[in-house]
Amino acid sequence: MNQKIVNLTTIVGLHKLINEKVFTFYNYTIEREERPDHVAFNYYDDVRYAWLVLATNNILDPYWEWPLEGKAFYDWLKKKYGSVSVADSTIMLCEHNTKNITVSADSLADNMTGNDDAGSYTEISAHEYWGKIMENRRHIKLLPKSLLGIVDRQLLKLG
């Protein structure tokens, strides 16, 4: 069976172009349950550009670095912390209520100022922390589809 695949070593050259900001990007918000192949189809009209969606966002592991949600997120939390209730009770960070200060729960006492006390901070559980991480992962960048020809030509040169 003959199957055409992307030579992943050429992505290094593409990353160099991306990191040098040769391209402008389109901001994209991943919809619920949307996978890289869905994004590629919905934006580029071609699922074969799923690799480009991942490469543009420096995603090497599409399972763990793509936003998890619903059952997959809760299964991940259970695997990482043993249960959702443990994730709820594990304090990761403390955010100051009025100042732009975030500290680890362990170092909160060391970072108190004369006017602050522990009541000036809100605790952020592991569940909340990872929920925010997953939400942030929904915001990605895409190369405009008008540049697909340039990308394809660059890959031919790099390969």
Side-chain angles (χ1 to χ4, degrees), residues 1-158:
M1 160 162 97
N2 291 334
Q3 196 172 19
K4 187 176 181 178
I5 61 171
V6 174
N7 178 353
L8 296 179
T9 60
T10 61
I11 291 176
V12 172
L14 181 60
H15 275 279
K16 183 178 177 190
L17 292 172
I18 290 168
N19 290 331
E20 290 174 355
K21 297 181 177 40
V22 172
F23 302 119
T24 54
F25 298 102
Y26 172 75
N27 292 324
Y28 187 90
T29 301
I30 299 167
E31 297 294 326
R32 301 280 178 222
E33 306 298 325
E34 198 172 26
R35 298 185 324 244
D37 56 323
H38 295 152
V39 173
F41 181 78
N42 291 338
Y43 185 71
Y44 297 119
D45 299 321
D46 193 335
V47 297
R48 292 177 297 163
Y49 287 108
W51 68 269
L52 183 60
V53 172
L54 297 171
T56 303
N57 292 282
N58 296 317
I59 297 173
L60 299 176
D61 184 341
Y63 183 75
W64 295 113
E65 294 180 76
W66 196 256
L68 297 174
E69 52 199 340
K71 183 177 179 335
F73 176 62
Y74 285 104
D75 288 347
W76 180 83
L77 273 180
K78 288 175 195 171
K79 185 175 182 177
K80 184 164 182 68
Y81 292 96
S83 70
V84 174
S85 61
V86 170
D88 286 336
S89 63
T90 301
I91 304 304
M92 297 283 291
L93 302 170
C94 296
E95 293 179 342
H96 196 278
N97 295 330
T98 59
K99 301 174 186 172
N100 190 20
I101 299 172
T102 302
V103 296
S104 70
D106 294 336
S107 66
L108 178 59
D110 295 339
N111 289 302
M112 299 280 197
T113 62
N115 297 329
D116 287 336
D117 60 20
S120 300
Y121 289 82
T122 300
E123 295 177 334
I124 306 298
S125 71
H127 187 170
E128 292 173 285
Y129 173 81
W130 288 108
K132 287 179 182 183
I133 296 288
M134 295 305 164
E135 181 60 29
N136 287 339
R137 287 181 181 174
R138 292 182 60 235
H139 304 285
I140 62 173
K141 57 189 176 185
L142 299 174
L143 290 175
K145 43 185 150 180
S146 61
L147 298 175
L148 288 180
I150 294 170
V151 169
D152 289 338
R153 285 191 295 278
Q154 285 295 326
L155 286 176
L156 286 173
K157 285 181 189 178
L158 296 169

